[in-house]
Structure formats: structure tokens, C-alpha cells
Amino acid sequence: MGSVLSKSLLNSGFYVFSTQYYLSRIRGGHNTFQIRISDSELAAMGEDVDILIALDRASIDRHLGEMSDGVVIVDRDVVELDKEHDSIFHVPLLKIAKDVGGNKIYTNTVAAGAAIGLLCLSLDSLNGVLTSIFKKKGQEIIDNNLKVAKAGYDYVRENYPHGCKFNVSLPEAQEKRMLIAGNEAAGLGALAAGVQFLSAYPMTPSTGVLNYVASHAGEFGVVVEQAEDEIAALNMALGASFTGARSMVTTAGGGFCLMVEALGLAGITETPVVIFLAQRPGPATGLPTMTEQGDLLFALHAAQGEFPRCILAPGTPDECFYMMAEAFNIAEKYQIPVFVMSDQYLADSLFTCKRFDASKITVERHLLSDQELRTKHGDYRRYKFTPGGISPRALPGQEGILVCADSDEHDEFGHIDESQENRIRMMDKRMKKLELLATEMKPPKIYGSHDAKLTLIGWGSTYGPLAETVDILTKEGHSANLVHFNYIYPMPAESIHKALAKSKKKICVENNYTGQLARLLRTEAGIEMSDKILRYDGLPFTPASIVEALREKGVI
């Protein structure tokens, strides 16, 4: 029902933002699907509820207090209530579903029609979505859904005082937009970037990327392997990458824990790979269907020894799409593992976006051609010392050369070499890459006035709530902006200092307990925060929750 309503409202011309709250149990527990609409861009959920479709009593008990002048649609023939409330409006959802559609399975569609009725909108968009969704099930199913949706709609118009509740006007006609989740955008970005091999063990909340790529694997010529575990998944991806395939894995925190030894193998063999890491609250199983940003420092420090890596953190589906291509290009140019860090909030929420432009994506392989290798006359050194630390990369099987790799410390040719002189030179070679990569990392985005006195600092998925918070503060007369990080590591320290130079108060806002970005900014750039706002209850920030925290801390 939530997805159907979201698509219907999008097709009516609204900006739509939807998010889910669901528990990890196979059965039972309280679940919700929230939809927010506007005639302007949205990237965060609010806290007030205008229409609550309550399919059980727990929904009323938990969410009635979030309503001020809204309406609770409830079937009182099914849900027993021991208290009355002015907002409660009885709609016989089950009876309409059985009488009009002939089956109780149409109850959700009745409720969707009732919600559209309360908004004083027409049924046209809902009918279009229902027709599209049930096309494969045949005309009878389509007709039944259309009939029950109209019956629910008509019940509201005939029984609710004045015919409907919210006199919502349709936005002016605008260009066609998508409703897309972060996981779908990341999967689409990987395909646009030319991914050739993806291996993974399914793990919430990253599985959506695996599913998306797998569902289009035939069209794009991608090999997708569901590995027996995460250890195998990353090792498979490294093997594929070693032979020249653009390779990636998808995982969440617990799965990445198992991948760590293979990550070290990528480090010393200088094998490029993209690791899509969708965070969820840990440790161990934690809260597997909820959100957190608790794995940043883990991704930065995981594995034995020291070696270069890159961390990117998109904040919107647009960034998921375009940054996946950047991740592959960085991985191949620098021959390092690149993390794309998401989380459950970004992975599962539905955002309204313009169509992505695949022509903006470039595929950069950084591989030696057969012609280039012929000029070397057999003197190919896989780990050749170079000023920037990036060695020429050829693939096994190319004519006239031997590509040798070793997980032991090795010399330029890839043969084991345990001498102190070689160790120092090889470590220096690998770590030099970070110096060059840091110069290519983009500075943090600044949203709002560049001269603001109060600066909110965030990373990844918190972009939407933080940007809206800046809008709220600005309207209240505060001098505020947002400095948001998508390019996390290596940090471009100079541009970060420039972005924060005029700020008097720096408040870091993160979905974790310890303020991991704040710690990273201190150690990598020497920047101290004035204060931190941290949330670690498994839920995402809302603009209202950030404003409230700022007031509690006396910042505003």
C-alpha cells in the first residue's frame, strides 16, 4: 500500500519521500511505512502525521500522539478500540474488500482509495498505478483493484464531514521524475559504471544492490555470484579483478567483518575492488533492519597492517548513482579497495529524483594494452616503483609478460622479498598513493551561506535532514549552513579548512555513539568540533529532532 500510494502521489506531480520502519522478525512486531509529500524537493521525513492508516491497535496506540489535526483511518469492525478520539474515522475496509472485490486481499487497496479521498485528489493517478502494477495478473485483478479503490474513495467522500479533509492542490506540471531508493540507484550506478563481476552473501540492508544488479545481469553481461559466505565473496571478487573484471561486493557490517582478511589481500596485492558497505546498528546482529553510521572507522582501519584505501559516502540516490562510477575508476587507477558507505536509511528510503544522466559517467580502466607491453620486451614489473606509487597494471595472459602476485611482501616483479630495504620501499610505494588521491578528493559540499556562524557538519545519508534543518534555522533568523562530506578518506585537509574557516560554531551530527567523523576530522585535519549531536537508537535524524537537540544544547 505504501509503495502504491507513493507512486500515485509522484505521478500526481508531488515530490515524495517515503521511508520504512520494520522489524527483523519473520512474523509479528510493529511496522510502518511513512510518506511525505510536497510541491518542492524533499529528502527527509517529518515527525507530524496527517493521515494514519491503522491496520492494528498498536498503530493507534503508538502514533495517535503524533497527530494534531489529522485523520486516523481504521476499520473498527476489525480493530477493537477502548477509547474514542476526534481523529478516528471508521472505514469498513474489510467489508468493502469482500463485498466489492470478492476477497479480503483487497483491503489495502480500499485503504489507499480512502487516503486519496481524504486528500481531495482524483483517483486517476492511483488507477494508473494499480493498472500498471497488476498488469501481469490479468484484467480481472486490475478491475477488482480499481473497483475497491473507488469504493474506499467514495466511502470517504460520502461519509467524512464536507467530503474530504485536506484541500490539497496539485502542483504545476513538471518534468517527469523517478521514485527510487538508494540501493536501486547504487545498483544502477554499478551497471552504468561497467561492473562485470559481483559476488555477495545477502545481508540487510545491502541486498537490494545485489538483487538489482542480478535482475539486470543478463542485459549488461554481469556475472553475479551468491557466495557461500562473505569470506568467499570478497576473495571471489579479488580473483575476478586480478584477471581484469570490474569487480565489487555488497555487504553490511557483520558481513564485512568476515571479509577483513581478504581486504588485506587486496591491500598487499594492489588489487582493485569496490566494497558497497550498507551500515546497520551493531555489534553482532544488532538491529539488522534499522539504521546507523557506526562503521566508518571500522572501514578505515579494518585488516592487518597498513595500506591505502578510499572511502566514499553518498547522501542521496543521485550521489549513489554517480559515485559508484567514481568508486570503480578510483579503485582501478590506484589499485586499491574503495568503500562506498551507505546505510539502511539511504538504502531503503524512496526519493524523488530527476532521471540520471549516464552520459556523465566515464569508465577508466588504467590497464596496459598489448601494444604498450610489447615495448617493454618482457621486462614487466607488476609492482614497479614509481614516483606516485602506482605501478603499471597488466593482466595475466597478456602476450610476452608474466604477472606475478604474492600476499607475502614482494619485490617489483611480485616475488617474495623479506629484506628490510625492500619492505620500506614497497610500503612507501603503496602509501604514496594516498598523497595523490587526497588531491583528487572533492571538498565537502556547503549548503547555505558560506559566511554562516553556525555550521552543521555531517556525512553520507544525513544530508537531507541536515539541509532541511539549515532551511528551518535560516527562516528563524539564525546564521547557519551545512558542510557535508561525501568524500571521506583520504581527507583533503586544505579544502576542509577552507570550508570551515568562517564558522564560529561547528556541530557534528552523526548517527553513531562516538562521533566518528568528528574524530576523523580531529586526527586527519586537526579540526575540533564545538559540540556533537549523536543519535544511535536505530532511527534516522529528522530536521525537527536536530533543531530540538540544538535548542537543548543551547546552540540556538
Side-chain angles (χ1 to χ4, degrees):
M1 178 177 23
S3 176
V4 168
L5 276 173
S6 296
K7 291 177 181 176
S8 300
L9 294 164
L10 176 81
N11 292 347
S12 295
F14 294 100
Y15 286 88
V16 177
F17 181 83
S18 306
T19 189
Q20 301 179 60
Y21 171 87
Y22 61 104
L23 302 179
S24 59
R25 307 164 198 173
I26 301 299
R27 189 172 184 177
H30 179 66
N31 301 327
T32 63
F33 189 104
Q34 290 179 273
I35 304 171
R36 187 183 178 199
I37 62 173
S38 173
D39 57 3
S40 57
E41 290 190 34
L42 283 175
M45 188 52 66
E47 297 198 345
D48 297 329
V49 178
D50 294 312
I51 297 177
L52 171 65
I53 301 174
L55 301 180
D56 58 18
R57 181 171 165 176
S59 298
I60 296 175
D61 292 341
R62 292 186 59 154
H63 301 290
L64 193 60
E66 299 168 6
M67 310 189 72
S68 54
D69 187 30
V71 180
V72 181
I73 295 175
V74 61
D75 185 346
R76 300 193 66 161
D77 299 333
V78 177
V79 180
E80 290 186 12
L81 302 177
D82 56 5
K83 57 186 176 184
E84 296 296 330
H85 193 280
D86 292 341
S87 298
I88 292 176
F89 175 54
H90 166 62
V91 179
L93 303 175
L94 181 60
K95 185 174 188 302
I96 292 174
K98 288 181 176 178
D99 292 350
V100 179
N103 196 310
K104 66 179 182 181
I105 63 172
Y106 296 110
T107 300
N108 284 352
T109 306
V110 180
I116 295 295
L118 282 174
L119 291 169
C120 312
L121 298 173
S122 82
L123 275 176
D124 293 346
S125 291
L126 177 58
N127 288 342
V129 171
L130 291 171
T131 301
S132 174
I133 287 177
F134 295 109
K135 189 176 180 179
K136 291 183 179 178
K137 293 185 178 292
Q139 193 60 46
E140 181 182 359
I141 301 298
I142 293 174
D143 291 343
N144 285 342
N145 274 282
L146 297 183
K147 283 191 297 183
V148 299
K150 186 173 188 308
Y153 181 86
D154 289 344
Y155 185 89
V156 169
R157 302 306 293 260
E158 293 166 7
N159 293 279
Y160 195 81
H162 310 297
C164 60
K165 172 66 175 177
F166 303 98
N167 188 18
V168 177
S169 301
L170 290 179
E172 294 181 5
Q174 299 178 16
E175 63 181 303
K176 196 169 183 179
R177 296 183 290 256
M178 303 185 296
L179 191 64
I180 191 167
N183 267 353
E184 295 171 320
L188 193 58
L191 292 172
V195 62
Q196 295 169 303
F197 183 86
L198 189 158
S199 52
Y201 185 82
M203 191 170 189
T204 304
S206 66
T207 309
V209 178
L210 166 66
N211 289 342
Y212 190 89
V213 175
S215 66
H216 297 281
E219 303 165 58
F220 289 85
V222 186
V223 173
V224 177
E225 176 72 20
Q226 179 176 324
E228 64 267 33
D229 56 42
E230 287 87 350
I231 301 171
L234 185 50
N235 278 315
M236 284 181 182
L238 296 182
S241 179
F242 184 67
T243 60
R246 290 203 125 186
S247 302
M248 69 179 290
V249 295
T250 62
T251 191
F256 177 61
C257 287
L258 295 175
M259 293 180 175
V260 167
E261 186 177 12
L263 180 68
L265 180 63
I268 199 164
T269 59
E270 303 183 47
T271 305
V273 69
V274 172
I275 300 170
F276 182 84
L277 174 52
Q279 302 163 95
R280 67 191 206 186
T285 308
L287 299 170
T289 57
M290 299 192 190
T291 199
E292 199 162 275
Q293 295 178 306
D295 295 341
L296 175 58
L297 295 181
F298 177 40
L300 178 60
H301 298 296
Q304 65 280 35
E306 301 167 300
F307 57 90
R309 66 194 75 188
C310 176
I311 299 176
L312 308 178
T316 64
D318 299 73
E319 291 170 353
C320 284
F321 178 77
Y322 295 110
M323 293 184 85
M324 286 301 295
E326 291 184 77
F328 279 104
N329 290 341
I330 291 171
E332 295 215 81
K333 178 177 181 179
Y334 291 93
Q335 301 165 26
I336 58 173
V338 176
F339 292 87
V340 179
M341 298 195 70
S342 176
D343 53 43
Q344 185 271 330
Y345 176 67
L346 177 58
D348 292 337
S349 297
L350 292 171
F351 297 72
T352 303
C353 298
K354 293 180 182 178
R355 290 176 64 90
F356 302 146
D357 184 357
S359 69
K360 294 181 179 178
I361 286 181
T362 59
V363 176
E364 301 165 8
R365 297 303 316 269
H366 302 282
L367 294 171
L368 286 176
S369 67
D370 289 341
Q371 178 60 35
E372 289 171 310
L373 284 172
R374 287 190 194 103
T375 64
K376 297 185 180 300
H377 307 292
D379 182 28
Y380 171 68
R381 304 179 188 195
R382 172 65 188 92
Y383 301 106
K384 182 179 180 180
F385 296 120
T386 62
I390 302 171
S391 303
R393 183 176 173 224
L395 300 178
Q398 285 190 273
E399 182 182 349
I401 54 105
L402 174 66
V403 178
C404 184
D406 198 319
S407 66
D408 284 69
E409 191 58 276
H410 44 253
D411 62 16
E412 289 181 282
F413 294 95
H415 300 303
I416 185 170
D417 186 336
E418 299 177 90
S419 68
Q420 284 66 54
E421 295 78 8
N422 176 73
R423 168 66 174 177
I424 291 170
R425 290 193 71 189
M426 200 54 74
M427 281 291 289
D428 288 345
K429 181 194 100 68
R430 290 192 290 263
M431 299 306 286
K432 275 181 185 175
K433 298 177 189 179
L434 283 177
E435 299 172 18
L436 181 58
L437 177 54
T439 65
E440 295 188 11
M441 296 289 276
K442 295 178 183 174
K445 292 187 297 186
I446 300 178
Y447 181 84
S449 169
H450 285 228
D451 300 327
K453 295 177 181 175
L454 168 61
T455 295
L456 304 179
I457 297 172
W459 63 283
S461 70
T462 56
Y463 177 78
L466 284 168
E468 188 170 331
T469 301
V470 169
D471 292 339
I472 293 170
L473 296 177
T474 303
K475 285 181 182 176
E476 291 181 354
H478 300 286
S479 174
N481 67 4
L482 165 64
V483 173
H484 200 77
F485 288 78
N486 300 123
Y487 297 80
I488 307 290
Y489 187 85
M491 281 195 157
E494 186 176 338
S495 61
I496 294 171
H497 279 280
K498 187 176 179 182
L500 294 170
K502 296 179 181 178
S503 177
K504 303 297 181 186
K505 286 185 180 178
K506 306 177 189 68
I507 310 295
C508 201
V509 183
E510 300 185 60
N511 258 135
N512 58 51
Y513 182 85
T514 55
Q516 297 189 20
L517 177 66
R519 294 170 69 177
L520 196 57
L521 284 168
R522 183 172 64 243
T523 56
E524 294 292 324
I527 296 173
E528 291 284 351
M529 295 296 108
S530 307
D531 209 334
K532 292 175 282 192
I533 295 176
L534 306 173
R535 184 166 191 170
Y536 42 88
D537 59 359
L539 300 179
F541 284 105
T542 63
S545 69
I546 299 170
V547 171
E548 182 181 358
L550 290 169
R551 294 196 200 286
E552 287 177 354
K553 288 178 174 290
V555 176
I556 57 173

